[in-house]
């Protein structure tokens, strides 16, 4: 079936104008390049997704055979598209990491209270591991302390660790941040980085805690316990930590909400303690509970690869626009109804396929980009944005000359939508470019779908943001265009619940109109940026504005 991309009157006029007056000698930012847009096809896009999400790649887990197969495939495709190597003479940037496999010596974890004990089951009730490169983790009789959100945020006048000495103790903390529950706090219902699980672990280490356990709550985390469970089943990857992780907590993990409530009861705490912790002035409290954690651990250092290619700019090749998408997924895990391969079709074969299709579009453009276009397929996003973190800390292209990062992650295969959403609305001036480009396709910016989920901090663009480079992460938004509501509802139901599940596969329920529309929008935004001399920055109210100013002043 031929793709019916929603293009609208402005799009048709733009293509017609390009066609009738196209000499290849000038660029008009109000028009669309018909040759470039038409180079992005359903057949090509589908073929890339089908290949990447096949069982052949074994779930694309770093440090496995699937890693080698995937990066070699990516290199082959970049070469076939006529793209130059992005790292000198190589298409690879080695990313040194450590794989740490740790699990409890005994699957049951026992907590001791004043008058009774509580035993919970590994994976069903809790997950735990260590960030340390150590063969022996054995922490005895560590006291549990409930430290609210586990946040130290002077700019928001919030410190859950104030006056608290947690050395040798285990902190139990909530996911998200106070703004989720009181719109006068933090950034209201737009989650800050303080709400992310990665921050909770980092802060517990800075405080010198022996361990940290996050209380899982589906709405606040924006995903169910099944996602936590699958993500913690098997080895964990990280960049090689300083001093082999000696400055980090001995163990870190999650417990279910039900388990946390039982622990509060075991220690005789007020059952309303969670609600108290959401209010300013809350003071951390001992839980009157102890536990011992013993982990059997093995680790190995190895390397994965970011895969990188480029199209050199015609006039300012030292200035770059970086398109990114993560190639990795979760590999092979627990079998569900006989299937143990996490194929990662939506997450993120869709984004990598867009990299290739956008490369085709730039190669087909009548007027070649004046700035260089870099295509970066990063590793280990699922393990904590590690590949993009390594690139940001070891950039191949100078950050001062990096115009923007356009990041593509998990396009929606239900169908085309009227508009688009920017994750982290109000953060960067790239949003303005998206609005301009969207107008050419009759697509308008829609309100952010779930700002409380902290999506702005959950994909690879964020590592560029942290070093002062504006990052854009967006996808479809608004109403679906399909008027066949029965078919639309059927697709929605069939594709629901696939996040980090073995069911994330390409099948007959997919509709490619949405991913293709988003890919074309991403192309045009980057194309506009490639023809300019200006450098977009962060918006005035962004907490990253100072970083952006500092980068641009160099």
């Amino acid at each position: 079936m031929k793709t019916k991309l929603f293009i609208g009157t402005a799009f048709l006029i733009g293509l017609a104008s390009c066609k009738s007056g196209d000499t290849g000698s000038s660029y008009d930012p109000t028009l669309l390049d018909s040759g470039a847009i038409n180079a992005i096809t359903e057949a090509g896009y589908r073929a890339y997704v089908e290949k990447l999400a096949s069982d052949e790649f074994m779930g694309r887990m770093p440090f496995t055979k699937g890693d080698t197969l995937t990066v070699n495939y990516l290199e082959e495709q970049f070469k076939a598209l006529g793209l130059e190597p992005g790292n000198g003479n190589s298409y690879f940037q080695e990313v040194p990491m450590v794989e740490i496999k740790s699990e409890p010596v005994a699957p049951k974890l026992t907590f001791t209270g004043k008058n009774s004990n509580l035993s919970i089951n590994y994976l069903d009730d809790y997950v735990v591991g260590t960030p340390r490169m150590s063969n022996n983790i054995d922490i005895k009789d560590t006291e549990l302390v409930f430290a609210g959100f586990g946040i130290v945020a002077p700019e928001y006048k919030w410190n859950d660790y104030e006056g608290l000495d947690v050395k040798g103790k285990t902190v139990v903390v909530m996911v998200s941040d106070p703004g989720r529950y009181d719109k006068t706090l933090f950034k209201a219902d737009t989650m800050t980085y303080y709400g992310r699980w990665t921050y909770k672990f980092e802060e517990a280490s800075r405080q010198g805690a022996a361990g940290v356990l996050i209380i899982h709550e589906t709405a606040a985390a924006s995903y169910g316990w099944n996602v936590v469970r699958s993500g913690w089943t098997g080895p964990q990857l990280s960049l090689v930590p300083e001093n082999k992780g000696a400055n980090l907590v001995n163990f870190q993990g999650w417990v279910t909400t039900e388990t946390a409530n039982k622990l509060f009861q075991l220690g005789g705490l007020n059952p309303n303690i969670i609600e108290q912790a959401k209010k300013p002035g809350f003071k951390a409290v001992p839980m009157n509970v102890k536990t011992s954690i013993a982990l059997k651990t093995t680790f190995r250092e190895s390397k994965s690869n970011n895969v990188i290619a480029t199209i050199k700019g015609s006039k300012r090749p030292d200035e770059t626009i970086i398109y990114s998408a993560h190639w990795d997924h979760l590999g092979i895990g627990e079998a569900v109804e006989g299937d143990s391969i996490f194929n990662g079709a939506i997450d993120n074969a869709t984004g990598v396929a867009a990299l290739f299709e956008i490369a085709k579009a730039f190669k087909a453009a009548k007027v070649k980009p004046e700035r260089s276009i870099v295509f970066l397929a990063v590793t280990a996003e699922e393990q904590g944005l590690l590949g993009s973190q390594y690139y940001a800390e070891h950039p191949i292209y100078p950050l001062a000359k990096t115009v923007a990062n356009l990041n593509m992650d998990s396009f929606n295969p239900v169908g085309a939508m009227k508009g688009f959403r920017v994750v982290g609305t109000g953060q960067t001036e790239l949003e303005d470019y998206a609005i301009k480009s969207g107008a050419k396709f009759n697509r308008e910016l829609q309100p952010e779908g779930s700002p409380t989920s902290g999506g702005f901090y959950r994909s690879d663009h964020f590592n560029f943001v942290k070093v002062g480079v504006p990052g854009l992460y967006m996808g479809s938004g608004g109403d679906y265009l399909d008027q066949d509501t029965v078919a639309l509802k059927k697709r929605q139901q069939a594709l629901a619940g696939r996040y980090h599940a073995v069911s994330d596969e390409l099948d007959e329920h997919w509709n490619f109109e949405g991913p293709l529309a988003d890919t074309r929008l991403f192309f045009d935004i980057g194309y506009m940026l490639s023809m300019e001399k200006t450098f977009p920055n962060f918006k005035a109210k962004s907490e990253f504005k100072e970083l952006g100013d500092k980068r641009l002043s160099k």
Side-chain angles (χ1 to χ4, degrees):
M1 182 182 72
K2 188 175 180 181
T3 299
K4 299 182 291 181
L5 174 67
F6 175 67
I7 51 182
T9 306
F11 180 59
L12 294 172
I13 293 173
L15 288 180
S17 299
C18 282
K19 210 168 184 180
S20 60
D22 209 342
T23 64
S25 60
S26 62
Y27 165 74
D28 186 338
T30 66
L31 303 178
L32 290 163
D33 184 317
S34 60
I37 293 296
N38 291 333
I40 298 171
T41 68
E42 178 175 338
Y45 188 93
R46 175 192 286 267
Y48 290 130
V49 172
E50 186 172 18
K51 183 72 171 180
L52 285 162
S54 67
D55 285 355
E56 174 188 350
F57 289 96
M58 304 165 64
R60 306 191 306 276
M61 179 73 175
F63 284 21
T64 67
K65 182 181 178 181
D67 179 328
T68 303
L69 292 171
T70 303
V71 298
N72 287 342
Y73 171 75
L74 298 178
E75 180 189 36
E76 290 169 4
Q77 299 314 305
F78 282 144
K79 286 180 177 178
L81 292 169
L83 274 58
E84 298 179 35
N87 187 13
N89 295 321
S90 176
Y91 289 91
F92 299 124
Q93 181 189 36
E94 286 191 341
V95 181
M97 294 189 293
V98 60
E99 176 191 78
I100 302 176
K101 184 177 182 180
S102 56
E103 58 184 26
V105 172
K108 282 190 178 295
L109 178 60
T110 298
F111 297 87
T112 303
K114 288 181 178 180
N115 301 313
S116 61
N117 298 333
L118 171 69
S119 293
I120 60 175
N121 295 313
Y122 182 55
L123 297 182
D124 291 332
D125 304 314
Y126 79 102
V127 294
V128 68
T130 181
R132 295 189 175 203
M133 296 169 64
S134 172
N135 289 318
N136 181 36
I137 300 295
D138 190 1
I139 306 299
K140 296 185 183 302
D141 294 328
T142 177
E143 297 178 14
L144 272 60
V145 178
F146 178 55
F149 290 100
I151 289 173
V152 178
E155 68 275 33
Y156 295 116
K157 296 181 174 57
W158 195 281
N159 186 353
D160 285 315
Y161 286 97
E162 186 175 4
L164 185 63
D165 181 2
V166 294
K167 289 180 176 57
K169 299 177 182 179
T170 296
V171 291
V172 178
V173 299
M174 299 185 295
V175 75
S176 195
D177 68 37
R180 174 179 174 80
Y181 306 99
D182 183 342
K183 290 182 173 52
T184 66
L185 302 174
F186 285 60
K187 294 181 71 175
D189 57 4
T190 298
M191 186 194 286
T192 66
Y193 184 61
Y194 294 114
R196 291 285 290 134
W197 61 267
T198 48
Y199 168 81
K200 314 288 185 178
F201 292 162
E202 292 162 2
E203 189 58 49
S205 290
R206 283 190 288 267
Q207 295 292 329
V212 53
L213 297 172
I214 299 175
I215 301 170
H216 174 264
E217 198 268 305
T218 297
S222 77
Y223 44 77
W225 181 255
N226 65 303
V227 174
V228 176
R229 178 177 177 138
S230 63
W232 283 72
T233 303
Q236 303 293 305
L237 298 181
S238 70
L239 299 183
V240 178
E242 184 180 0
N243 298 324
K244 297 187 180 297
N247 298 324
L248 304 177
V249 290
N250 288 276
F251 63 90
Q252 55 194 28
W254 295 69
V255 295
T256 64
T257 298
E258 293 77 13
T259 296
N261 289 335
K262 290 177 182 177
L263 288 173
F264 292 142
Q265 183 179 7
L266 180 66
L269 270 64
N270 187 323
N272 197 38
I273 190 73
I274 289 282
E275 295 305 314
Q276 296 173 21
K278 297 173 183 177
K279 297 177 172 57
F282 173 77
K283 301 295 183 184
V285 296
M287 293 177 61
N288 306 317
V289 172
K290 292 183 179 180
T291 192
S292 297
I293 297 280
L295 304 175
K296 48 187 177 184
T297 301
T298 58
F299 61 88
R300 65 184 176 105
E301 294 185 62
S302 189
K303 294 180 173 66
S304 187
N305 282 277
N306 293 330
V307 189
I308 186 166
T310 187
I311 296 173
K312 292 290 177 62
S314 62
K315 294 184 179 180
R316 295 178 297 286
D318 59 327
E319 299 174 1
T320 57
I321 291 99
I322 298 180
Y323 283 94
S324 64
H326 73 89
W327 61 254
D328 67 295
H329 200 54
L330 303 178
I332 299 174
E334 289 185 292
V336 178
E337 297 181 357
D339 187 0
S340 60
I341 298 178
F342 289 79
N343 300 85
I346 297 172
D347 186 12
N348 184 37
T350 58
V352 178
L355 280 182
F356 295 144
E357 291 298 302
I358 288 170
K360 289 180 185 178
F362 274 103
K363 297 291 282 187
K366 297 289 185 182
V367 182
K368 301 307 176 185
E370 296 181 358
R371 287 167 157 163
S372 292
I373 309 300
V374 175
F375 301 90
L376 176 63
V378 296
T379 184
E381 187 269 356
E382 302 290 7
Q383 300 290 331
L385 317 182
L386 302 181
S388 57
Q389 178 186 342
Y390 187 82
Y391 180 89
E393 294 173 354
H394 305 84
I396 294 171
Y397 300 92
L399 297 177
K401 291 296 185 78
T402 301
V403 178
N405 168 240
L406 307 178
N407 182 55
M408 299 174 292
D409 192 352
S410 302
F411 288 165
N412 179 4
V414 171
M417 303 182 83
K418 180 178 181 180
F420 64 93
R421 289 192 174 107
V422 170
V423 181
T425 302
Q427 285 280 4
T428 84
E429 292 173 354
L430 295 177
E431 183 181 313
D432 303 327
Y433 286 83
I435 292 171
K436 290 177 185 177
S437 184
K440 303 177 194 179
F441 298 93
N442 278 0
R443 299 183 69 184
E444 295 182 350
L445 177 66
Q446 303 294 312
E448 191 169 353
S450 181
T452 58
S453 70
F456 187 67
Y457 312 99
R458 290 172 58 176
S459 194
D460 290 301
H461 66 289
F462 183 56
N463 280 317
F464 287 90
V465 167
K466 289 199 294 185
V467 292
V469 176
L472 181 67
Y473 174 29
M474 67 177 189
S476 295
D479 296 328
Y480 283 100
L481 298 175
D482 195 337
Q483 298 301 306
D484 186 344
T485 56
V486 175
L488 176 64
K489 186 174 182 180
K490 183 178 179 181
R491 288 199 304 273
Q492 286 178 304
Q493 291 174 339
L495 291 166
R498 298 197 178 192
Y499 177 63
H500 283 199
V502 294
S503 58
D504 184 9
E505 299 178 321
L506 176 62
D507 58 25
E508 72 277 8
H509 301 292
W510 279 51
N511 180 300
F512 284 89
E513 295 179 11
L516 287 172
D518 290 342
T519 300
R520 289 171 172 139
L521 181 59
F522 264 107
F523 161 73
D524 190 64
I525 293 167
Y527 192 38
M528 281 197 297
L529 288 164
S530 76
M531 307 304 286
E532 292 192 347
K533 294 181 180 179
T534 56
F535 280 73
N537 201 347
F538 294 87
K539 289 183 177 286
K541 292 185 178 180
S542 169
E543 64 264 43
F544 303 100
K545 179 66 161 61
E546 187 176 342
L547 281 175
D549 291 343
K550 184 178 180 180
R551 179 183 69 93
L552 294 177
S553 67
K554 293 182 179 179

